């Protein structure tokens, strides 16, 4: 039985990539709120304008965890500008789709990367 | 893989004996009870009447006081809207507990829009309503009090007999939604002082698509589904004959076997409760510790979200429910559904952590081995989710700082 | 004894193939579709979705336009009350034919009590409504026109496509009750210009306790059974999963086999019609002679009362219905139910003789031999009742006097 | 299958006693109305204050025909006063009961005998 999610979502939920923290991360983004059922914290390391590493911790449903995991895979190796261009749609598509009411989880992923890169920009002005 | 069904509160497997009693009404005796002038219709009518007697027997009512519906939701709608409309001239005030099911709460919405007033009854931290609050809430224009028999999410059994007595003293109708309890614990409409009682077949090993409303003799209701003259005018529409026959069979079996079922479920429930309490930290049980449905174990786990818990449990073959709306929000109206359940809010669980609530509801087919399986996997799953959670990380850091 | 079921308009035998498709959802996959986070619930949800697609296919609709209900009566109530309440701001005027089923007519009563106005459409002596009357009846405050697809009592098929076109021109919603026709004759919601269509599973070899309302995308309805968030908010309550799966299977089979069924039923129907016409005197057919349901033969016999005809037929193993309310008045409200049916009155049958109306409605399982049996017994039964009847005696005396 | 009626009702419906007319009856009573679904005509012959014969014709449902038949059986041999004392309850009981909404058929029988005896009284004054 497939459950409500695609096989891709279930794979990323059960075997999430890049769970953890980055000590002295170049940028950290936190979005969501446990009271609303999900919260994501994204850590990025940026080297020469490229995201060299990404890790996350997420409190949330299956789609939230899978979106976080997929997002970290997608941004690693990308330039900051390329990463900023990632939309929730890209994340959802990469997961072979999300149920309509779970789209907000991919939105959270999009917002997390923007928040982390905003943090990076603040810490590394110019 | 294991197939451990611990979600009997959402629905129960059909008892094979019930299915056997339904079968003749699918292929052989398929008549419409309204066409009882001929053999086919007559057989159908007899089946419906026999089922009416059996369902009445389950709650010590008389057959003519049973109105068959399509389920508990429709029965609750009929009770609330039907009584409100029929007794409109007497008053437009209704008293309900704040832990009622959506099918009571939302049935009140169109009434509120038409000017009815609703007084919600607070519950304590175990989810119990206070009968004295009912006494205080009743006004001269109160026509109906509705307090459920047992809560499906947290298992608490409400003091319906006391509430019924107060309602009767004040000459106010008393409705109790016994969806979660009927067939599992005794319910006597006299002892409960109930005028209207909601029953659902699929919650006690009967079929889906059929329920009943007990309507005390003499109580009026405005019918909500109008049409032909079925169910003495309370509810129109061709009867779901196999479903009704199934509800009758399930009621007869439950009446007979309820006591041994409950004994077994209390044992299994205690084993699960004690085991979880001993092995999972950051865990908080919900509902009344003693006055609760047999085999019902509900709790919430800090730093873990309900749907993720359920998904992992399901991967291990364990099927359960989350008390938070989250588990069913895949088809919810919008993101607001993501908030914690009204019941958990009512018992005072802080909304930023209660999305991790779980309801294990056991049934007569479950075993000790299944309980032990769940006791093995749950701590592992919780740990796994904590390790992914930013809130758990913060908690641990604080603890270290606090300790250091 | 013979067991000749000629009462398919009241209900149909379940197709054994449909039963096979329902079976897994009783004992094996008994989950609640709302608990779709786990395997049991997921299997149930998939079954409901698959059935939705199949039911939509029967009437050329889209799956998301199908709302499952407990039957045709509930679907008619949802269509009429739901549309009236949702479009109340636009107007409070409704147009319905005067031959609608009780579940449409009686659903209008609470609306009338709240100030809605209803314009009844006359029908001609064959039971047909005139689309031009619909045009004339529509006012600026009209929100809904409801005309059934086919009449169960007299078999007449209404000109729904023309009525739908006029309703659409005037931007008024069009509801058609297809309970008697769906699965038997083609129905395309686009061609019919219908915004709301009522369907009933047990009328096309599916199970009792399940029906559906087609709701055109964009059409609003106030839900009538409130509670959880099932059926996209149009209808709350745990889904009758086996029933819905059965309706899906029945719809798929009907779509495939409707044409051969109709061919056979038209042949049998003609044989019955011609045979009765030739052998029973004082007999008057009702309904349109050509635009009628296949295998539907309805008539009334002078000097004979309907229930007595049905009882004698049943003694011979022949099961049929009487168009007069008499046949079902064993549980009627009061003696008023003894009067002739509103449909027969609408087509102008004199009320002092039309209590002897009979509806033979054939199904796909009937045979030529069964038709011939009925042709043998009916004249004998009619004669027997005439010989007992004071009115027949008077008629004969008059004839003698008139002749002499 | 018993049908909606008792075996007694079905017996009297299918094999009604005393169907017919009495030429030069001493009393004729007609009650009911075909528009309401039933009509009964009762003929009685009275000899020395006793009902020596009774016949009926009825248009109506099973209960109406059975009540008519049962009534004729009950009144035969009774005195006029005894026959007048027959109530619908007696008729229904003799038929082993009638469904509640069919009670009016037994009432019709009661009214028919009264009407026939009124007619007799009119025709045979004093
Ligand atoms: C207490 C209670 N009442 C009513 C209902 C509604 O039941 P159904 O969805 O079967 O109509 C439920 C369903 O979970 C319930 O728990
Ligand atoms: C035309 C029509 N509509 C609606 C209904 C109501 O159907 P149900 O009793 O199955 O709800 C009937 C039943 O005979 C019918 O003939």
């Amino acid at each position: 039985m497939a459950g409500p999610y695609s096989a891709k979502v279930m794979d990323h939920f059960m075997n999430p990539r890049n769970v953890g923290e980055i000590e002295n991360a170049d940028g950290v983004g936190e979005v969501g709120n446990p009271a609303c059922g999900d919260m994501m914290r994204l850590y990025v390391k940026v080297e020469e304008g490229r995201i060299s590493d990404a890790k996350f911790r997420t409190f949330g449903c299956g789609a939230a965890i899978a979106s976080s995991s997929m997002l970290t895979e997608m941004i690693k190796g990308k330039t900051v500008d390329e990463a900023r261009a990632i939309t929730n749609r890209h994340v959802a598509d990469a997961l072979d789709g999300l149920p309509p009411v779970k789209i907000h989880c991919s939105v959270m992923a999009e917002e997390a990367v923007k928040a982390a890169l905003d943090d990076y920009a603040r810490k590394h002005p110019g | 893989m294991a197939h451990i069904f611990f979600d009997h509160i959402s629905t129960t497997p059909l008892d094979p004996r019930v299915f056997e009693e339904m079968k003749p009404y699918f292929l052989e005796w398929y008549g419409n009870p309204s066409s009882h002038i001929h053999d086919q219709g007559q057989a159908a009518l007899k089946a419906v009447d026999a089922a009416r007697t059996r369902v009445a027997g389950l709650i010590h009512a008389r057959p003519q006081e049973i109105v068959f519906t399509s389920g508990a939701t429709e029965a609750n709608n009929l009770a609330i809207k039907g009584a409100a409309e029929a007794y409109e001239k007497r008053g437009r005030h209704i008293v309900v507990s704040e832990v009622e099911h959506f099918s009571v709460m939302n049935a009140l919405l169109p009434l509120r829009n038409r000017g009815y007033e609703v007084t919600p009854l607070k519950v304590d931290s175990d989810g119990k309503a206070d009968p004295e609050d009912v006494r205080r809430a009743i006004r001269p224009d109160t026509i109906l009090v509705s307090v459920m028999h047992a809560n499906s999410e947290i298992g608490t059994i409400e003091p319906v007999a006391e509430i019924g007595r107060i309602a009767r003293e004040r000459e106010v109708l008393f409705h109790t939604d016994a969806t979660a309890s009927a067939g599992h614990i005794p319910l006597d409409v006299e002892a409960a002082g109930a005028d209207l009682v909601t029953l659902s077949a699929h919650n006690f090993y009967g079929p889906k698509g059929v329920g009943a409303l007990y309507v005390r003799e003499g109580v009026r209701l405005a019918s909500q589904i109008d049409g032909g003259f079925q169910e003495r005018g309370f509810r129109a529409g061709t009867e779901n004959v196999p479903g009704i026959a199934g509800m009758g069979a399930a009621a007869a079996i439950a009446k007979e076997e309820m006591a041994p079922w409950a004994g077994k479920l209390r044992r299994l429930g205690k084993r699960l409760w004690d085991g979880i309490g001993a092995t999972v930290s950051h865990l908080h049980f919900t509902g009344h510790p003693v006055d609760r449905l047999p085999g019902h174990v509900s709790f919430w786990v800090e730093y873990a979200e309900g749907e993720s818990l359920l998904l992992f449990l399901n991967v291990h073959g364990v099927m359960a429910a989350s008390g938070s709306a989250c588990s069913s929000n895949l088809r919810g109206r919008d993101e607001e559904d993501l908030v914690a359940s009204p019941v958990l809010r009512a018992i005072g669980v802080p909304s930023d952590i209660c999305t991790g609530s779980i309801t294990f509801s056991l049934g007569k087919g479950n075993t000790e081995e299944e309980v032990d399986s769940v006791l093995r996997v749950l701590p592992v799953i919780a740990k796994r989710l904590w390790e992914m959670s930013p809130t758990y990380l913060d908690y641990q850091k604080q603890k270290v700082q606090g300790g250091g």
Side-chain angles (χ1 to χ4, degrees), chain B residues 9 71-73 76 101 103 148 150 152 177 179-180 200 202-203:
Chain B
I9 204 75
T73 294
N76 279 340
H101 186 257
S103 49
M148 68 203 322
S152 47
D177 174 3
T179 302
S200 167
H202 77 90
N203 291 71

Side-chain angles (χ1 to χ4, degrees), chain B residues 11 17 30 34 48 71 76 81 119-120 125 154 167 179 183 192 196 219 266 277 280 304 338 365 394:
Chain B
T11 194
R17 293 168 292 178
Y30 49 79
S34 292
V48 170
N76 279 340
K81 297 175 185 171
T119 297
S125 60
I154 59 172
T179 302
L196 298 160
V219 169
R266 283 205 184 87
V280 182
L338 285 161
D394 296 346

Side-chain angles (χ1 to χ4, degrees), chain B residues 67-69 74-75 77-87 114 213 215 219-237:
Chain B
V67 174
F68 286 113
T69 68
E74 188 198 320
N77 274 256
L78 175 57
I80 301 290
K81 297 175 185 171
E85 291 170 12
Y87 292 92
R114 277 151 60 190
L213 185 66
V215 183
V219 169
R220 286 177 294 122
L221 289 179
S223 89
Q224 298 296 307
I225 299 184
D226 300 307
F229 190 75
Q230 288 94 354
E231 297 298 314
R232 286 171 38 243
F234 284 113
R235 201 278 185 191

Side-chain angles (χ1 to χ4, degrees), chain B residues 152-174:
Chain B
S152 47
E153 203 172 319
I154 59 172
T156 301
I157 296 169
E158 300 292 343
V160 289
E162 290 83 341
I163 294 172
R165 194 156 45 240
I166 291 167
R168 180 148 307 171
E169 269 171 30
R170 305 291 298 271
E171 292 179 16
V172 170
L173 292 180
F174 176 46

Side-chain angles (χ1 to χ4, degrees), chain B residues 357-370:
Chain B
S357 103
I358 293 285
T359 297
F360 286 134
S361 45
L362 278 58
K364 65 188 171 84
N366 289 132
T367 63
E368 272 190 19
E369 291 67 46
E370 291 176 329

Side-chain angles (χ1 to χ4, degrees), chain A residues 21 41 43 57, chain B residues 389-398:
Chain A
E21 282 179 277
R41 195 179 292 159
Y43 306 83
R57 280 192 197 263
Chain B
S389 169
T391 54
Y392 186 70
L393 183 73
D394 296 346
Y395 155 77
Q396 281 197 309
K397 284 189 178 154
Q398 275 169 24

